[in-house]
Amino acid sequence: MPGMKKSGDMTVGIDIGSRTTKALVWNGEEVLSRSMLSTGWTPEKSASVAFEKTLQTAAISPSEVKRTMVTGYGRGSISFADESVTEITAHARGVSYLLPETKTLIDIGGQDSKAIIIDDEALVQDFAMNDRCAAGSGKFLEFLALTMELSVQDFSELAFSSKNPMQISSICTVFAESEVLSMLAEGVAREDVASGVHRSIALRVAQMAHSLHPQVPIAFSGGVARNRCMIREIGVALGGDISVPEMPEYAGALGAAIIARESL
Amino acid sequence: MFTQFQEWYDKRHEYAKDWKQRTGGKVMGCFCSYVPEEMLVAGNILPVRILGSHEPQNVTEPYIFGMYCPFCRDVLAQGLKGRYDYLDGITLSQSCIHLRQSYVAWREHVGVPFDYYLYMPNKVQARAATPYLKSELVKYKAHIEEINGRELTDADLDAGIAAVNRNRELMHKVYEFRKGDTPKLTGLEAMYMTVSSTWIDKEEHSAEIEKVLEQLPDRQVTRDTGARLMLVGSEDDDVSFIDMIESVGATVVVDDHCTGTRYFWNSVVPDDDRLMAIADRYVKRPPCPTKDWEERWRFPHILELCKNFDVQGAVIIQQKFCDPHECDIMPLREAFVKSDIPSLFLEFDVTVPIGQFKVRVEAFLEMIGSEDLF
């Protein structure tokens, strides 16, 4: 792993995702504080609020922050940030710190999913992202949970209880909803439909990962990595155990903070 | 320095109409870069490559299948919208079935005084390819003579070959200035030059290149070169995409597109048998994947370009649903891996989602330059 600096200098990483903005303070050894809020339609504002909140929690002032690095889709519009880095590099860096053996990383966020191959130096060797379609993303999961009038958490737990996942064929999110409604109308068990939705996402993500010839160990980050049904299905689809780092939704922000510190 | 090329790119139809008026010549719409332009130039006919406009459209659905490539649909849309209403004729040199359908639909539903389907052999690696194409060029010559109402002489053909060869050689010279540590021109500027050469009068285009060549050696380049990239793949005249790439820390130093190097890379070797010489040029040019079988001749050529232009990474551009290029994607990526050249694959549509592509390009650049990042 590229040389880590000793504790003292504090950096902030902010990951402005399509759904949520995450920020944290890093001192080179541990995360001192973190905050998360909905991104909304103004990345600059959400980044600013997340930044202030996390500094407040850590009880430090902005002048104590040596560098602020932003990542995520809104990274280009943050005037107070020192630098930016793509979410691909940031997630790879964050997960490599938390789970150093990782060779393949799956990240599923609100509107995109990624497969990233990481080399022995914790650097991105290759990557793939979903193309112009929400299928295979957290938004797809949210949308179909809503169709079944469940929260994402309940939807995940219901799916986890299934022993017989249904096959969802539609790639389009809207058509998948029609398919789900048809199955429910035919009396298919809700848990089997819910697990089928999870399986369809896992298969799409695995297909993307297979294009990169993934190697084990495989890690899973992003907000969707809190979903234990998805962890199981990704593992089945990729044929291996899946490791999830602590606070997986903060992996990008952590990576950004680490890169910020290494570039001091 | 390259503003004239940009103006020609932006005002392609105005240019062709003006050319027609001031020269009295005819204009031929070309559906593929395999149309032998030398013969058209020889007959004082302006070859104009028909390209799309990169705008969403709703006119082609009755005439071409929705899952044919966006380029072919965009091309047909231009005809249906009347943007090429000044054409005297159209020529398709046998290409992929998608572009063939654009040609057929244009012929049937747009209409044009002259149309010609040139049977360019698909298997250019066959021993009979050159003599076969020559036999087809004999027929095409007769077609041009019919359009003009006069014979196409050897002297005409010599002049046509010389004019097109000169244009190719001049573009080669400009490309040489992309090789140094600090390329003297951007990929965007090169694209304006090469793409506009597919419809501008060769003499006028060459004269403009000569002006550029006088100034290029002393050009002071202030922008950082960044990563040296190659663009590879289907037809690509998307200036917004290449501009985005070069705005995030890279310079496109070379390409393998039919609107770029594949169009002009080799010249006609003059011979007493003019048509055989022209046929030989089109058979031996860097091939389109539709014609690049059973061996893949294109790959060693691409890797040679990478070496000569000191390429650090390749962006593979794929027109969505373009079957011939899709057939090459896997082995091409493998060829890049074997040569230690990182590659990024992107799928194009009529309009390009710049924001989504930007993050991929930036991540790719971070990957290439990761040693500098940490």
Side-chain angles (χ1 to χ4, degrees):
Chain A
M1 192 178 296
M4 298 289 297
K5 291 190 170 54
K6 294 192 185 301
S7 61
D9 293 337
M10 285 177 286
T11 57
V12 171
I14 307 176
D15 179 5
I16 305 150
S18 59
R19 305 287 293 158
T20 57
T21 295
K22 289 78 61 177
L24 56 78
V25 178
W26 170 251
N27 71 355
E29 288 182 348
E30 59 181 329
V31 173
L32 301 182
S33 66
R34 60 186 107 212
S35 69
M36 180 162 68
L37 49 91
S38 174
T39 298
W41 56 276
T42 51
E44 170 97 36
K45 187 178 175 189
S46 56
S48 173
V49 173
F51 178 76
E52 286 166 16
K53 277 180 71 176
T54 196
L55 259 57
Q56 203 173 20
T57 308
I60 60 172
S61 67
S63 61
E64 292 176 84
V65 177
K66 296 288 182 191
R67 184 160 290 176
T68 299
M69 178 85 75
V70 287
T71 187
Y73 96 101
R75 71 191 179 285
S77 54
I78 311 305
S79 58
F80 67 87
D82 296 305
E83 283 180 272
S84 70
V85 65
T86 65
E87 49 269 45
I88 289 110
T89 302
H91 272 270
R93 195 71 191 84
V95 170
S96 290
Y97 179 78
L98 297 166
L99 302 168
E101 302 300 314
T102 302
K103 290 279 182 281
T104 302
L105 171 62
I106 303 297
D107 174 77
I108 305 183
Q111 285 185 3
D112 60 41
S113 47
K114 315 166 192 74
I116 303 169
I117 306 297
I118 302 171
D119 69 13
D120 294 337
E121 301 294 317
L123 303 174
V124 175
Q125 194 177 334
D126 206 353
F127 68 93
M129 287 178 81
N130 62 327
D131 262 342
R132 285 164 279 169
C133 175
S137 74
K139 188 69 187 169
F140 182 84
L141 207 58
E142 256 181 48
F143 187 76
L144 291 163
L146 195 65
T147 300
M148 293 178 68
E149 298 181 330
L150 292 169
S151 68
V152 175
Q153 176 67 23
D154 291 344
F155 187 57
S156 159
E157 290 306 312
L158 181 70
F160 194 71
S161 69
S162 166
K163 298 281 185 285
N164 182 31
M166 295 301 293
Q167 184 172 308
I168 309 289
S169 327
S170 298
I171 292 174
C172 167
T173 305
V174 176
F175 285 177
E177 183 193 30
S178 304
E179 202 174 338
V180 162
L181 288 171
S182 299
M183 285 179 182
L184 293 172
E186 286 168 13
V188 176
R190 295 173 82 211
E191 62 270 26
D192 295 341
V193 175
S195 60
V197 169
H198 284 72
R199 179 157 293 184
S200 83
I201 295 174
L203 287 172
R204 256 175 254 305
V205 172
Q207 191 176 29
M208 188 168 65
H210 279 308
S211 72
L212 305 175
H213 308 292
Q215 295 172 28
V216 293
I218 302 169
F220 183 12
S221 68
V224 179
R226 283 195 173 274
N227 179 325
R228 61 177 179 152
C229 184
M230 192 58 73
I231 298 168
R232 182 184 70 187
E233 292 299 331
I234 295 267
V236 170
L238 286 175
D241 292 332
I242 305 295
S243 303
V244 177
E246 187 189 352
M247 300 281 187
E249 64 274 43
Y250 284 95
L254 176 62
I258 292 173
I259 294 168
R261 196 159 193 282
E262 287 167 349
S263 60
L264 284 175
Chain B
M1 196 181 292
F2 287 83
T3 52
Q4 179 61 71
F5 299 115
Q6 184 177 353
E7 190 181 327
W8 280 335
Y9 180 97
D10 292 336
K11 296 179 179 173
R12 61 193 73 178
H13 301 304
E14 290 90 333
Y15 173 84
K17 286 174 188 170
D18 176 67
W19 183 91
K20 198 170 170 174
Q21 194 172 29
R22 65 185 155 86
T23 66
K26 290 187 167 55
V27 181
M28 180 69 74
C30 302
F31 275 77
C32 175
S33 59
Y34 274 91
V35 175
E37 295 185 332
E38 296 84 350
M39 298 176 67
L40 295 167
V41 173
N44 192 34
I45 295 172
L46 180 69
V48 167
R49 176 90 189 263
I50 302 174
L51 300 176
S53 66
H54 303 284
E55 300 162 300
Q57 53 84 17
N58 62 354
V59 296
T60 58
E61 206 62 20
Y63 313 112
I64 191 166
F65 184 48
M67 285 179 72
Y68 274 17
C69 89
F71 169 67
C72 299
R73 285 182 282 124
D74 201 6
V75 160
L76 178 58
Q78 305 312 304
L80 293 168
K81 288 179 172 182
R83 289 178 178 164
Y84 283 92
D85 58 359
Y86 50 85
L87 295 181
D88 297 288
I90 53 172
T91 299
L92 170 79
S93 51
Q94 167 61 33
S95 179
C96 62
I97 56 169
H98 296 192
L99 197 56
R100 189 168 72 191
Q101 178 59 21
S102 302
Y103 164 78
V104 170
W106 191 300
R107 191 178 64 194
E108 300 296 322
H109 304 289
V110 178
V112 68
F114 295 94
D115 61 79
Y116 197 89
Y117 191 146
L118 175 66
Y119 292 99
M120 172 74 209
N122 251 11
K123 187 168 184 182
V124 293
Q125 293 176 19
R127 274 187 297 177
T130 299
Y132 172 79
L133 179 56
K134 188 233 166 157
S135 71
E136 290 301 328
L137 296 186
V138 170
K139 295 177 204 168
Y140 192 53
K141 178 171 172 281
H143 176 68
I144 294 170
E145 289 170 341
E146 183 194 344
I147 293 173
N148 281 341
R150 65 174 176 85
E151 189 191 352
L152 207 57
T153 65
D154 281 350
D156 292 333
L157 285 170
D158 287 342
I161 289 169
V164 181
N165 270 356
R166 176 176 164 235
N167 192 244
R168 291 171 179 142
E169 286 152 16
L170 288 170
M171 286 198 279
H172 256 284
K173 285 183 181 172
V174 173
Y175 266 51
E176 285 296 309
F177 286 97
R178 305 174 76 181
K179 282 183 175 174
D181 287 342
T182 305
K184 294 280 189 181
L185 64 156
T186 63
L188 175 66
E189 290 171 329
M191 181 176 277
Y192 279 129
M193 177 188 73
T194 54
V195 175
S196 66
S197 76
T198 69
W199 61 73
I200 299 298
D201 180 289
K202 300 300 177 198
E203 299 289 0
E204 293 174 28
H205 198 266
S206 294
E208 190 61 29
I209 299 178
E210 282 182 335
K211 283 188 212 166
V212 166
L213 283 169
E214 280 176 19
Q215 301 171 59
L216 267 181
D218 299 324
R219 191 181 204 191
Q220 296 301 310
V221 179
T222 52
R223 66 185 293 278
D224 286 335
T225 302
R228 301 173 64 89
L229 300 183
M230 178 183 199
L231 296 186
V232 187
S234 309
E235 184 281 335
D236 174 27
D237 61 310
D238 198 314
V239 290
S240 60
F241 176 73
I242 198 167
D243 192 30
M244 178 275 286
I245 287 186
E246 296 191 319
S247 72
V248 293
T251 300
V252 175
V253 293
V254 72
D255 67 86
D256 177 69
H257 288 306
C258 64
T259 38
T261 58
R262 287 208 299 276
Y263 169 66
F264 75 84
W265 206 246
N266 67 329
S267 294
V268 174
V269 179
D271 188 271
D272 286 345
D273 188 341
R274 278 86 175 164
L275 296 186
M276 190 70 90
I278 294 170
D280 193 53
R281 187 267 166 189
Y282 283 88
V283 163
K284 288 180 178 167
R285 58 163 266 189
C288 163
T290 56
K291 296 169 176 61
D292 199 23
W293 57 285
E294 298 161 0
E295 286 181 49
R296 284 186 166 94
W297 285 355
R298 194 167 70 107
F299 290 5
H301 169 68
I302 288 171
L303 296 175
E304 186 71 13
L305 288 177
C306 286
K307 188 178 157 192
N308 292 341
F309 286 81
D310 196 16
V311 166
Q312 292 171 275
V315 181
I316 303 172
I317 287 169
Q318 161 75 26
Q319 289 279 343
K320 196 173 182 177
F321 309 131
C322 171
D323 299 331
H325 278 277
E326 281 168 357
C327 191
D328 268 2
I329 296 301
M330 299 306 170
L332 180 59
R333 294 203 79 173
E334 197 180 318
F336 279 134
V337 167
K338 283 181 182 165
S339 298
D340 289 327
I341 299 167
S343 66
L344 172 69
F345 172 75
L346 296 172
E347 190 178 72
F348 269 35
D349 211 322
V350 172
T351 56
V352 171
I354 289 292
Q356 285 164 303
F357 279 179
K358 191 175 177 185
V359 66
R360 288 157 175 76
V361 171
E362 286 181 320
F364 183 62
L365 295 177
E366 285 169 358
M367 191 177 96
I368 291 174
S370 51
E371 293 81 4
D372 304 330
L373 193 64
F374 301 109

